[in-house]
Each structure stands twice: as structure tokens, then as C-alpha cells.
Amino acid sequence: MRNYLSRAPERRHEFVSESALDIQSSPDLSPEETFEQNQTIALLEESISELPENMREILLLVGFDELSYEEAATLLTVPIGTIRSRLSRARIALREKLRQKGLSLEK
């Protein structure tokens, strides 16, 4: 039985040099990328919280909750045009707040 286990194909391992690791990439973020992402999220949350309530509300409904303009208009009982204009102003205000904090969302 012992010889069978040591010769079983699923129990054999091929040893390669450490250079084989160079071609393997991790799907995880590096520690630096994780730190940057956490900083960006913190600045984004802070900036959103500083917006006036009506801007923050529409940004979260459309951007985070993924409601359509029509659904948001129904929920807030305002015309779709109001949703569009509030969302546009909220996005501009958010970009400006982030820019003031040294963060640009433009790629």
C-alpha cells in the first residue's frame, strides 16, 4: 500500500526553480495597490458625505443602487429632468471635491 501511494500520479510533484513564479501573476492587488484603493475609497466616501443631501441622495440612488432615472424620479417624486440636472450637478461637485483633496478620477 505504501508503494502505491508514493507512486500515485496525483502524489507526484515536479520541482521547478523560483523563476517559474515570475510568470505567475496573482489576481490579488499588491499591498501598495490595496493601500491606494483604500485611500481612494475613503476620500470618495468623505467627499460624498460633504455633498448637499439632495445631490448625495441622487448620486447614491443612481450610482450605487443602480436605479434608472425613471425609478429615481418615481421614488423621489420629481420629474426626470430634475433627476438629470441634480445628478449632473452632483457629479461636477463630487469631482471638484475630489480634485481639492488631490484625487482625480480622470484616467
Side-chain angles (χ1 to χ4, degrees):
M1 180 72 165
R2 185 173 180 197
N3 285 340
Y4 167 76
L5 289 177
S6 65
R7 293 185 186 141
E10 65 273 3
R11 306 265 309 177
R12 293 187 190 146
H13 301 283
E14 179 182 340
F15 294 96
V16 295
S17 71
E18 285 185 24
S19 64
L21 295 175
D22 294 338
I23 60 172
Q24 300 294 324
S25 64
S26 170
D28 299 330
L29 296 175
S30 71
E32 295 83 17
E33 291 169 328
T34 301
F35 178 77
E36 285 179 27
Q37 185 179 54
N38 290 340
Q39 291 293 87
T40 300
I41 290 170
L43 284 174
L44 187 58
E45 287 175 344
E46 180 183 316
S47 297
I48 289 173
S49 72
E50 293 171 357
L51 292 174
E53 186 177 347
N54 65 346
M55 287 183 178
R56 183 174 57 246
E57 184 176 47
I58 193 62
L59 257 179
L60 294 175
L61 287 174
V62 174
F64 184 73
D65 295 334
E66 299 180 354
L67 265 61
S68 69
Y69 291 176
E70 292 80 11
E71 292 168 326
T74 301
L75 184 67
L76 299 175
T77 62
V78 296
I80 291 176
T82 302
I83 296 295
R84 288 187 175 127
S85 64
R86 282 184 190 171
L87 184 59
S88 176
R89 286 193 298 266
R91 287 176 175 159
I92 291 168
L94 181 59
R95 273 191 215 102
E96 180 57 26
K97 287 191 177 294
L98 291 171
R99 187 192 63 73
Q100 289 172 358
K101 295 173 194 250
L103 181 66
S104 174
L105 297 179
E106 309 302 321
K107 295 251 176 179

